Amino acid sequence: MTRPDSSATHPPHRHGDTPVTSLLTFLRKPWLWAFIAAAVTFAATAAVTQAGGFGLGMTALTFAAFSVLVGIGQMFVITLGPGNTDLSIPATMTLAGTLALKAMAGDPALIPLGLAIALASGLGVGVLNYALIRLLSIPPIIATLSASFLIQSAAIWSNRGLRVKPPQALADFATGSALGVPNVAVVAVVVAALAWVVLERALAGRRVLAIGQNLRAARLAGVPVDAVRFATYVSCAVLAGLAGFLLASFSGGAALNMGQEYLLMSIAVVVIGGSSIAGGNSNVPGIWGASLFMFLIVSMLNSYGAGAGVRMILTGVIIIAIVAAAGGRKVSR
Amino acid sequence: MNRDQLRILLPVVSLAVLLAAVFWLQPRAMSYLGLNLLFNLAVPIALATVAQMMIIMVNDLDLSIGTFVSFVACVTATLVQTDPLLGYLVLAAGIAGYAAVGALIHLRNLPAIVVTLGMSFVWGGLAVLILPSPGGASPEWLRSLMTVKPPLVPMAIVASVLIAVVSHLLIRRSSFGVVLRGVGGNPASVERAGWSVLKARAAAYALAGLFGTLSGMTLVGLTTAADANIALRYTLLSIAGVILGGGEFTGGRVSPVGAVIGALTLALASSFLSFMRLSPDWQIGAQGGILILVLAVRLLVGRGRGRRLAA
Amino acid sequence: MTIPPDTTPVVALENARKLFGAVRALDGVTLAIAPGECLGLVGHNGAGKSTLVNLVNGGLNLTEGTIRLGDGAPSPETSIAAARAGGVRCVFQELSLCPNLTVTENVRIPHRALKGRGWRGRARSIVAEKLAEIFPGHAIDPGAAVGALSIAERQMVEIAIAFSVFDEAPRLVILDEPTSSLDAGLAEQLLSHVRRFCAAGGAIIFISHMLGEILDIASRIVVMKDGRITEERARGGFDRQGLVDAMGHVAAEGGGAAHAQARDLATAQIVIETPDGLKARRGEIVGLAGLGGHGQAEALEQICLGNSSSWRGTRSPKVAFVAGDRARDGIFPVWSILRNATLSRLPALTRRGLVDAGAEEELAADWRRRIGIRTDDLDNPILSLSGGNQQKVLFARALATSAPVVLMDDPMRGVDVGTKRDVYDMIRAEAAGGRTFIWYSTETEEVCQCDRVYVFRLGRIAAELTGADITEENILAASFEMEAAE
Amino acid sequence: DTSGKSIALSNNYAGNSWRQAMLESWETVTGKAVEDGIVSAADAFTTAENQATEQAAQIQNMILQGYDAIVIDAASPTALNGAVKEACDAGIIVISFDGIVTEPCAWRIAVDFREMGRQQVEYLASRLPGGGNLLEIRGLAGVFVDDEIHAGIAAGVQEHPDFKISAAVNGDWAQDVAQKAVAGVLPSLPEIVGVVTQGGDGYGAAQAFAASGRDMPIIVMGNRHDELEWWKKAHEENGYETMSLSIAPGVSTLAFWVAQQVLDGADVPKDLTVPFLKVTQGDLEEVLASTQAGGVANVDYTLDDAKAVISDAAQ
Ligand SMILES: Nc1ncnc2c1ncn2[C@@H]1O[C@H](COP(=O)(O)OP(=O)(O)OP(=O)(O)O)[C@@H](O)[C@H]1O
Ligand SMILES: Nc1ncnc2c1ncn2[C@@H]1O[C@H](COP(=O)(O)OP(=O)(O)OP(=O)(O)O)[C@@H](O)[C@H]1O
Ligand SMILES: [Mg+2]
Ligand SMILES: [Mg+2]
């Protein structure tokens, strides 16, 4: 028993905080580190930009939006507790983008149909994932990995990799902005706000958090654990479908290798954002911070002319440093 | 039959069934040369799987083993070849790096998945720095070691058995391995008996680094050259191998022999698929399908232990 | 003091204090154990017995005071290694074997010297010998994985490992509730071994809630209360009642039993009926008794799972559950007290999917008052509460629901006497209002308050007792399948 | 006579339009060849992930399956050498194309990727005699094609010192990744006059430039349908001109015919080169018209094309 006991060292919270203690509580917010890191990289990049930081900021918001969408889904899955991770996000994005764009075939009138197809393919993937996990008791990591191979094949089979152009109106929406804020960022903010409400205010979010801390206790306390876990995997896949739909529209068509970088990205933004991989402790704002950071760190290193190798090493070191600084799970089970 | 025996019997049976199917589809595989061709690339995978098993043994998960093996391959194909002393020093430093990661994870109580995810970027970056474009060459002794033709039994089989036996002795038989597995089973009890769980975890990680290093070296011996992305796939492959081999993600329940068999099964599964001559569209999907199939069988049989809630 | 003047104590604690934050687990304990002595340690739940054990064996450091091992110097610091070198061995209250290792391999964990060629063979023969010596006629295969053994077998293994001799012989063996999962025959075998061990000059600290055992085996009895030693007498200094009084236990008042008999429930509607023959009527308090680990917890779990769905949540659940193994079955460690308390009631406080935060706070505040959760803020983390107060939160969680049946899995662990009374009253009042309670308890006096009792043995119902038949003797008899007790 | 011979295609990656077009060309051309009885079988195999180790195992399986020739688009020029050597030792003809292998016993149908890079700078120099700042979009780090094209570009810049590579980003040969990387680095860049690319990333770069509101530089394209279409539109709107170049996916069919020729006993030199497919302003309309919507500009090769390439190389 060499480690300090957590419950013993936890100072009781008092009312009437002094400014100092409220600052300290603020500093303990897990999402803070992600935003600090994003701000620092932003400043470092903006320092070498000609036009000041505005353009960079808008670009960062645009691309962070995609990471946010998949990151939120992944966050809910990870919140379900150790071992829960969805590795099928990239394949789902590809499938959703491919099917939707093929169905719309460039016709603006079919945009609602395309969106519906994208979301439905997400739904299908979610059902498949949870069926593998629950009915065949395959560990989630391997279940979603295996599913991703099947989904990838389905995407190849459906369109053989042809890039169908999105309807112009949709492409304009995806690349455009309203009042200076990129539309995709608006979508991601809305989704994030909804996710925040679900996580912090809704019964469903409370149940997800409970399962993540102690599945057994949650079941005994009357939480319908299967329904909640099912809904979580489905929402993650549906969000991936939405992200795939938007990304395909944004980049002028779905490609078979479209979502690949979101495999690790979706996990990284969740944990850098301050959610505990051990489950039961999540936050939505951190995902925005982490997504901005993950985009800006690459921009920064690119702007400073770092090669691929140095860039990767620094990215890795910084991820570890942030996680180590934010500290591990304070409360042990 | 008890659970432990089942745990090892199932992988053996699935390997045997798969092997029979392969022989049936492709009788030519039933020969010295055929077996070697079927299995020789499974040797580095088996080593990587054993490495992953060391981490799973202490209830962690390593997302960096694939990039680490790639890194080792790059070092082996370049530095070890041109400047052996420096090369081996770098390899030793890699193992020390693994131990340090284990210690960091324990000391700061960090989630292993995240730290090893970060490390996967680090190893990948180092690999790209060492070998920006594919190339290098295998040290001569390694090449001849990996292409040696022992009498009667092909190298791939000899090597697999050797890996299984050595890791079995180390993890299942030695008094040292017992403590390491104890950390996975009940860390509090190991700590209460006066062991340093910190050291034990670092040791498990160092062992993972060692087996990862061997994996990268044998890989270079087989392929004769390296590139920075050569073994990325090993990360997920090794996790699947451990699980196929009867290991569990938590509780220190791992089997080195099972892990090696799991790796061979995975290698054989993709051969089986190519002998089936599926349409290219569905070749990728079939790999997912076969993974599901093998795991489903394992868990259907394992159902017997009741429907208790997972704690 | 009973220490013979010329004998150096194996371990001596001087004014030992141990604080966990604000909790005084040990509050100035002075104690020495001499060779050949068998020290019986008794005290209520949370009295500090296990903490004392952990100090002696080096697992915890003293907050204040000193500890001395053998003829060493008194020191404020201690370590597991030092304690082991001093010949201190320990059998912990909660089993501490590695379930994934075999019996032989588990021997290796505490015995660091056990290595090199042939260690397995040595370990195997020594542990097999020890098992045969302590528990003649046992049927444990040293090659079996511990996870596959029954609780009693695991306890036997742990005891045998503690008494085994490898490098240095054990001089002091601490047994923390070693008989709680052994049947009478095995317990008697253990007691005889303890006698032999002490006769050969070994020292024992024997902790048990089974006072008969303590009175039988101990050469000296120490009573602890709230972290202090309140009384200490040599063998023969206590009789059973004296010991109970010294522990500060509410002696069985009989109020509960009277209450049980006063009610007639024969015509009440049956609300729970299981295939194993367990029945519960509306407004009834049903007790589950028997030795720990004989299937009571599993039966409760089955009832709970069978009467709730993992697919459909509901505002009006059929059953609510109060966990005894808090960490495993009850607590959500990241959450605040408030969230822990309201989880089961939450569906009823939800409008259009959103939780009504005001109503939630109100509910929690209400229960905090009713059940007396001692905290200054319900937003504090649940783990900042003492164990007993955590347990109250779990009670609040279950009682706050509208469930007609409440399942309780040994729920009084770590709950202090005063609160226990309050909870008993609350249960009675709720039962009078028509709620059904199914209550597994390890404390016989709690079981004796029930309207009907099922005694479990080896996973099955061994006896059903009602009314006046509910007595400690009858329960013990059914638990051990003996004719009549003592 | 090769009517009894069987040929296998070993492909390491199917995750982009180029590879899909390549597989499709293979299917159409070899399907007909099998029907015509020129060879007995021509099966295509693809691995799940873009990994040399997996492809090496695949080649070893092909040895076991008894193919007479193996046609390879390799994940790595060197990491398959072990498996390729084993195939040669088993008497199997090995032909590599696009991603070639360095093992001497194999044939190589190479695209001069270096030249591809160099010509991009050459073209820019012809359009922009005053030079200026260039943005380089690279492929996947650590892959052979990336390194070769990069080396060609570097050589080109050395020849034309008025140009300066002011930034290089990795686009991983994917539209969305390229778009993201370019968008991220643009704010920090001075005025960019030209973008040198590796194929599949031009459209993404154009999108990023358009979004930033900067002047559109000359972006060298990579023959993707969307790139050509964008180019055509820009040309119609404001006279935008550029060029486009890439290796035609149908090169797999050339490799097939070469394999057939080798099996037939023809004397084929080990090193063959295939010209890359270059699109200029002049033939943009024509190429665009013949390119499948969403696909890549492509050519299916015939036996005669193969014979021509062989005799060219023999001289
Ligand atoms: N790690 C800890 N952190 C905080 N408080 C603790 C800790 N361990 C013990 N305590 C508290 O110290 C007091 C003494 O606990 P201890 O386990 O010694 O009781 P015990 O006498 O062994 O009880 P039981 O009969 O239930 O085993 C209790 O109030 C308990 O809640
Ligand atoms: N991930 C990859 N790994 C190895 N080689 C690749 C990869 N991607 C493309 N190539 C190779 O690079 C060359 C150019 O193809 P390219 O990458 O441009 O297709 P693509 O641009 O990704 O297709 P699209 O963007 O239209 O889907 C070809 O030799 C192709 O085989
Ligand atoms: Mg107790
Ligand atoms: Mg205790």
Side-chain angles (χ1 to χ4, degrees):
Chain A
M1 311 270 164
T2 49
R3 289 201 226 176
D5 186 80
S6 49
S7 60
T9 50
H10 198 293
H13 178 84
R14 305 249 168 256
H15 284 292
D17 289 339
T18 65
V20 177
T21 55
S22 60
L23 179 68
L24 282 178
T25 353
F26 181 67
L27 279 178
R28 262 197 301 263
K29 293 280 183 215
W31 46 264
L32 189 71
W33 292 94
F35 278 101
I36 291 178
V40 169
T41 40
F42 179 80
T45 319
V48 293
T49 63
Q50 269 77 10
F54 183 74
L56 179 68
M58 288 305 110
T59 320
L61 281 179
T62 307
F63 288 98
F66 298 110
S67 315
V68 168
L69 286 179
V70 291
I72 285 173
Q74 187 73 276
M75 178 200 76
F76 277 106
V77 170
I78 286 178
T79 305
L80 285 178
N84 286 285
T85 312
D86 188 350
L87 296 185
S88 68
I89 286 178
T92 311
M93 291 173 75
T94 305
L95 182 69
T98 307
L99 293 182
L101 266 63
K102 193 179 171 197
M104 293 186 289
D107 182 353
L110 296 179
I111 292 178
L113 174 73
L115 181 61
I117 288 184
L119 299 182
S121 35
L123 182 80
V125 171
V127 172
L128 171 68
N129 280 340
Y130 196 65
L132 293 178
I133 293 169
R134 184 62 225 269
L135 298 181
L136 300 182
S137 327
I138 300 180
I141 291 185
I142 311 231
T144 52
L145 174 72
S146 313
S148 82
F149 287 147
L150 292 171
I151 301 162
Q152 212 178 330
S153 261
I156 291 178
W157 165 78
S158 69
N159 202 32
R160 304 225 58 171
L162 294 182
R163 274 174 83 95
V164 184
K165 278 244 182 290
Q168 193 57 43
L170 184 58
D172 289 346
F173 171 80
T175 50
S177 53
L179 303 172
V181 183
N183 288 334
V184 284
V186 174
V187 172
V189 167
V190 170
V191 171
L194 281 177
W196 185 85
V197 170
V198 169
L199 192 68
E200 304 285 335
R201 295 276 178 266
L203 176 63
R206 200 67 79 76
R207 287 174 161 170
V208 172
L209 290 170
I211 292 175
Q213 296 170 66
N214 192 339
L215 174 71
R216 195 182 148 80
R219 176 70 179 85
L220 292 171
V223 173
V225 291
D226 274 319
V228 174
R229 295 206 302 157
F230 173 74
T232 305
Y233 275 95
V234 166
S235 350
C236 178
V238 167
L239 278 174
L242 176 65
F245 178 75
L246 287 177
L247 184 59
S249 309
F250 176 82
S251 60
L256 286 178
N257 52 0
M258 193 166 81
Q260 237 155 47
E261 61 168 337
Y262 293 99
L263 178 66
L264 292 185
M265 179 74 82
S266 64
I267 303 174
V269 296
V270 173
V271 292
I272 296 174
S275 297
S276 152
I277 199 107
N281 191 1
S282 299
N283 74 88
V284 176
I287 292 187
W288 260 107
S291 299
L292 289 168
F293 165 71
M294 286 303 280
F295 174 79
L296 288 165
I297 178 93
V298 176
S299 294
M300 179 184 87
L301 295 170
N302 270 333
S303 302
Y304 282 90
V310 175
R311 211 172 56 215
M312 286 166 80
I313 296 175
L314 285 176
T315 308
V317 168
I318 292 171
I319 288 179
I320 297 176
I322 291 178
V323 175
R329 190 176 163 81
K330 305 280 190 322
V331 178
S332 52
R333 277 204 214 148
Chain B
M1 184 167 357
N2 71 28
R3 272 179 70 192
D4 263 10
Q5 288 165 321
L6 253 179
R7 206 196 305 287
I8 190 67
L9 196 73
L10 264 173
V12 173
V13 169
S14 30
L15 181 68
V17 169
L18 213 51
L19 198 60
V22 163
F23 284 163
W24 179 68
L25 280 175
Q26 192 49 263
R28 247 183 286 227
M30 231 182 315
S31 64
Y32 184 95
L33 182 74
L35 282 173
N36 202 36
L37 284 176
L38 273 184
F39 287 121
N40 68 2
L41 278 161
V43 172
I45 301 179
L47 285 164
T49 306
V50 171
Q52 181 71 263
M53 186 202 71
M54 300 292 175
I55 307 284
I56 291 181
M57 179 174 65
V58 292
N59 295 346
D60 287 343
L61 200 61
D62 185 4
L63 293 186
S64 67
I65 189 72
T67 48
F68 179 71
V69 172
S70 305
F71 161 78
V72 170
C74 290
V75 174
T76 309
T78 53
L79 290 179
V80 171
Q81 168 80 348
T82 53
D83 187 350
L85 187 67
L86 181 64
Y88 291 118
L89 221 61
V90 172
L91 291 182
I95 298 175
Y98 247 82
V101 167
L104 176 74
I105 287 172
H106 185 83
L107 282 176
R108 297 282 302 154
N109 199 10
L110 301 178
I113 295 192
V114 190
V115 177
T116 54
L117 176 72
M119 284 312 290
S120 77
F121 288 104
V122 173
W123 298 124
L126 288 172
V128 168
L129 285 186
I130 291 171
L131 200 58
S133 89
S138 156
E140 207 38 59
W141 66 268
L142 244 183
R143 178 73 191 146
S144 36
L145 183 71
M146 295 312 290
T147 49
V148 69
K149 292 208 159 53
L152 297 176
V153 187
M155 180 283 300
I157 308 292
V158 175
S160 302
V161 170
L162 199 67
I163 297 165
V165 168
V166 168
S167 52
H168 179 80
L169 288 179
L170 190 66
I171 295 307
R172 299 291 298 221
R173 302 298 300 178
S174 81
S175 54
F176 169 66
V178 167
V179 176
L180 293 187
R181 278 186 294 133
V183 170
N186 189 347
S189 121
V190 174
E191 185 139 14
R192 269 210 287 235
W195 297 95
S196 156
V197 176
L198 169 69
K199 281 187 199 157
R201 180 166 262 130
Y205 273 76
L207 277 176
L210 176 68
F211 278 93
T213 303
L214 294 177
S215 170
M217 293 179 76
T218 51
L219 181 57
V220 171
L222 285 169
T223 60
T224 72
D227 68 64
N229 304 313
I230 194 164
L232 301 188
R233 208 169 84 87
Y234 282 15
T235 300
L236 292 173
L237 215 53
S238 63
I239 297 174
V242 173
I243 302 301
L244 274 185
E248 286 172 25
F249 279 121
T250 52
R253 294 202 165 85
V254 294
S255 150
V257 176
V260 172
I261 291 177
L264 297 185
T265 308
L266 281 174
L268 204 58
S270 30
S271 301
F272 174 71
L273 287 178
S274 53
F275 295 148
M276 296 255 294
R277 303 196 191 188
L278 293 169
S279 134
D281 282 0
W282 289 103
Q283 283 173 7
I284 296 173
Q287 310 221 4
I290 205 156
L291 210 56
I292 292 172
L293 205 72
V294 178
L295 277 167
V297 170
R298 179 178 103 94
L299 286 141
L300 281 179
V301 179
R303 272 266 163 93
R305 44 184 158 115
R307 245 177 263 131
R308 300 288 310 277
L309 272 172
Chain C
M1 291 296 233
T2 54
I3 307 167
D6 55 302
T7 322
T8 325
V10 185
V11 175
L13 286 170
E14 188 72 41
N15 193 28
R17 227 176 269 273
K18 178 71 198 174
L19 305 185
F20 292 107
V23 178
R24 290 167 185 273
L26 272 196
D27 197 9
V29 166
T30 301
L31 186 72
I33 300 116
E37 195 180 17
C38 178
L39 183 78
L41 193 56
V42 294
H44 63 82
N45 286 131
K49 306 180 295 290
S50 297
T51 307
L52 183 77
V53 168
N54 278 319
L55 288 180
V56 170
N57 96 333
L60 288 175
N61 266 321
L62 292 157
T63 309
E64 221 176 277
T66 61
I67 180 167
R68 185 157 67 96
L69 287 161
D71 38 15
S75 141
E77 300 218 326
T78 156
S79 74
I80 295 170
R84 286 200 70 82
V88 178
R89 304 282 177 80
C90 199
V91 174
F92 292 95
Q93 181 177 5
E94 66 279 32
L95 292 175
S96 66
L97 299 171
C98 297
N100 58 330
L101 304 182
T102 65
V103 172
T104 314
E105 288 171 340
N106 263 295
V107 178
R108 154 70 177 156
I109 301 288
H111 292 290
R112 308 195 54 156
L114 197 54
K115 56 188 174 196
R117 282 182 62 88
W119 72 270
R120 211 168 264 274
R122 267 181 288 146
R124 192 185 171 95
S125 62
I126 291 178
V127 75
E129 233 166 71
K130 212 34 132 183
L131 270 172
E133 179 189 335
I134 306 175
F135 303 105
H138 75 90
I140 299 171
D141 169 16
V146 162
L149 300 180
S150 76
I151 287 207
E153 286 173 326
R154 286 186 222 182
Q155 185 76 65
M156 290 155 72
V157 168
E158 204 170 340
I159 291 169
I161 290 176
F163 280 104
S164 310
V165 185
F166 289 90
D167 33 1
E168 65 283 301
R171 301 185 59 213
L172 166 66
V173 177
I174 307 168
L175 302 168
D176 196 349
E177 300 194 25
T179 53
S180 57
S181 46
L182 300 182
D183 65 32
L186 290 172
E188 189 41 53
Q189 289 182 338
L190 173 63
L191 294 189
S192 335
H193 182 77
V194 166
R195 272 183 217 109
R196 286 197 300 274
F197 182 75
C198 292
I204 295 277
I205 298 180
F206 196 98
I207 301 173
S208 179
H209 289 297
M210 309 214 181
L211 302 184
E213 280 173 2
I214 294 280
L215 290 168
D216 176 17
I217 190 87
S219 57
R220 177 161 62 113
I221 297 177
V222 168
V223 181
M224 288 188 70
K225 192 174 163 186
D226 296 333
R228 294 169 182 277
I229 294 181
T230 49
E231 276 197 71
E232 182 173 353
R233 293 187 203 161
R235 182 199 298 269
F238 283 113
D239 59 3
R240 191 184 170 95
Q241 191 55 44
L243 198 50
V244 169
D245 293 343
M247 286 165 66
H249 257 295
V250 250
E253 288 167 356
H259 140 90
Q261 282 156 0
R263 304 193 304 152
D264 180 20
L265 293 159
T267 56
Q269 173 201 359
I270 295 181
V271 285
I272 294 281
E273 183 158 18
T274 71
D276 322 334
L278 192 153
K279 256 185 256 163
R281 293 174 187 276
R282 199 177 122 80
E284 194 175 28
I285 302 175
V286 175
L288 308 186
L291 296 177
H294 277 254
Q296 301 93 331
E298 288 75 9
L300 280 178
E301 190 179 312
Q302 283 313 315
I303 297 174
C304 181
L305 298 185
N307 287 284
S308 59
S309 164
S310 67
W311 283 99
R312 291 197 48 239
T314 166
R315 281 165 187 253
S316 39
K318 270 183 80 178
V319 295
F321 187 87
V322 183
D325 188 340
R326 286 190 297 273
R328 192 185 62 149
D329 298 342
I331 292 292
F332 299 100
V334 180
W335 269 353
S336 63
I337 301 164
L338 179 106
R339 288 190 164 197
N340 266 285
T342 57
L343 180 68
S344 293
R345 178 66 179 166
L346 222 45
L349 307 178
T350 301
R351 225 142 286 135
R352 271 185 250 103
L354 297 188
V355 175
D356 181 344
E360 187 185 2
E361 263 169 48
E362 224 167 84
L363 178 82
D366 182 32
W367 277 94
R368 169 194 186 176
R369 202 165 22 73
R370 281 173 69 177
I371 207 164
I373 299 167
R374 268 176 232 130
T375 178
D376 55 355
D377 187 346
L378 286 171
D379 286 329
N380 284 343
I382 183 83
L383 292 184
S384 71
L385 291 180
S386 78
N389 278 296
Q390 291 179 23
Q391 196 64 49
K392 291 183 202 169
V393 174
L394 298 189
F395 266 110
R397 182 194 293 167
L399 295 180
T401 64
S402 58
V405 179
V406 177
L407 310 170
M408 306 194 289
D409 178 6
D410 199 5
M412 296 296 176
R413 295 183 205 175
V415 175
D416 63 51
V417 181
T419 315
K420 266 188 193 169
R421 277 230 195 89
D422 295 347
V423 175
Y424 295 157
D425 290 344
M426 202 175 290
I427 289 174
R428 260 180 231 135
E430 295 270 340
R435 252 195 195 178
T436 307
F437 289 83
I438 304 182
W439 184 357
Y440 164 46
S441 174
T442 44
E443 288 183 43
T444 319
E445 55 187 271
E446 284 179 356
V447 178
C448 290
Q449 300 188 21
C450 296
D451 299 309
R452 190 214 312 256
V453 172
Y454 291 98
V455 184
F456 279 68
R457 183 172 152 73
L458 297 174
R460 257 177 267 112
I461 294 177
E464 177 181 344
L465 308 173
T466 45
D469 288 345
I470 306 177
T471 61
E472 181 157 4
E473 287 69 32
N474 284 341
I475 291 170
L476 277 176
S479 319
F480 291 121
E481 267 185 356
M482 300 181 303
E483 287 309 316
E486 294 152 295
Chain D
D1 174 44
T2 56
S3 60
K5 307 277 186 184
S6 58
I7 300 179
L9 169 66
S10 162
N11 175 39
N12 68 306
Y13 185 65
N16 61 32
S17 57
W18 193 95
R19 289 295 171 113
Q20 286 296 331
M22 187 269 274
L23 287 170
E24 213 161 88
S25 289
W26 174 273
E27 213 173 283
T28 33
V29 170
T30 63
K32 179 143 190 323
V34 172
E35 218 168 82
D36 295 347
I38 299 174
V39 292
S40 68
D43 304 324
F45 295 92
T46 288
T47 53
E49 273 152 298
N50 178 20
Q51 287 282 291
T53 47
E54 215 182 342
Q55 194 176 17
Q58 188 190 54
I59 292 170
Q60 296 186 338
N61 289 333
M62 291 172 176
I63 302 174
L64 274 177
Q65 280 164 289
Y67 287 102
D68 300 293
I70 301 177
V71 174
I72 303 178
D73 190 346
S76 156
T78 50
L80 297 177
N81 283 352
V84 170
K85 183 83 178 41
E86 282 171 66
C88 294
D89 291 347
I92 297 170
I93 307 294
V94 180
I95 314 275
S96 62
F97 70 98
D98 182 33
I100 52 168
V101 296
T102 57
E103 170 58 45
C105 74
W107 276 260
R108 278 166 294 280
I109 304 178
V111 176
D112 194 342
F113 286 114
R114 221 174 255 261
E115 180 61 14
M116 220 167 110
R118 208 190 57 77
Q119 281 201 11
Q120 298 187 33
V121 185
E122 193 117 288
Y123 170 75
L124 290 177
S126 73
R127 293 280 311 279
L128 306 162
N133 291 312
L134 301 184
L135 170 64
E136 181 185 2
I137 305 179
R138 299 188 58 168
L140 208 57
V143 176
F144 157 79
V145 178
D146 168 60
D147 217 52
E148 284 290 293
I149 299 182
H150 170 70
I153 289 171
V157 171
Q158 210 149 41
E159 273 172 42
H160 302 279
D162 290 340
F163 284 113
K164 177 172 170 282
I165 304 271
S166 54
V169 299
N170 287 77
D172 297 0
W173 295 308
Q175 207 74 264
D176 53 325
V177 183
Q179 187 176 356
K180 187 168 170 177
V182 173
V185 76
L186 265 189
S188 66
L189 296 184
E191 199 204 333
I192 298 291
V193 298
V195 181
V196 284
T197 63
Q198 296 204 350
D201 35 22
Y203 183 76
Q207 299 264 72
F209 271 95
S212 74
R214 289 175 167 239
D215 289 340
M216 190 61 67
I218 300 177
I219 303 173
V220 180
M221 296 296 179
N223 290 3
R224 303 298 128 75
H225 181 260
D226 49 4
E227 292 176 335
L228 301 180
E229 211 174 37
W230 179 86
W231 172 11
K232 178 171 169 241
K233 217 167 117 201
H235 182 72
E236 282 161 4
E237 275 167 18
N238 53 25
Y240 186 82
E241 276 190 29
T242 182
M243 74 135 168
S244 172
L245 75 187
S246 177
I247 169 169
V251 65
S252 61
T253 61
L254 183 68
F256 168 76
W257 291 119
V258 169
Q260 189 268 340
Q261 285 296 297
V262 177
L263 286 175
D264 206 19
D267 186 16
V268 180
K270 284 278 162 92
D271 282 290
L272 304 171
T273 28
V274 51
F276 36 77
L277 196 61
K278 190 156 141 187
V279 184
T280 59
Q281 193 64 56
D283 43 37
L284 172 61
E285 302 274 339
E286 188 191 334
V287 174
L288 193 54
S290 66
T291 303
Q292 192 182 9
V296 188
N298 198 1
V299 198
D300 285 346
Y301 293 87
T302 62
L303 179 55
D304 291 334
D305 291 334
K307 284 183 175 157
V309 169
I310 293 169
S311 63
D312 280 355
Q315 281 155 23

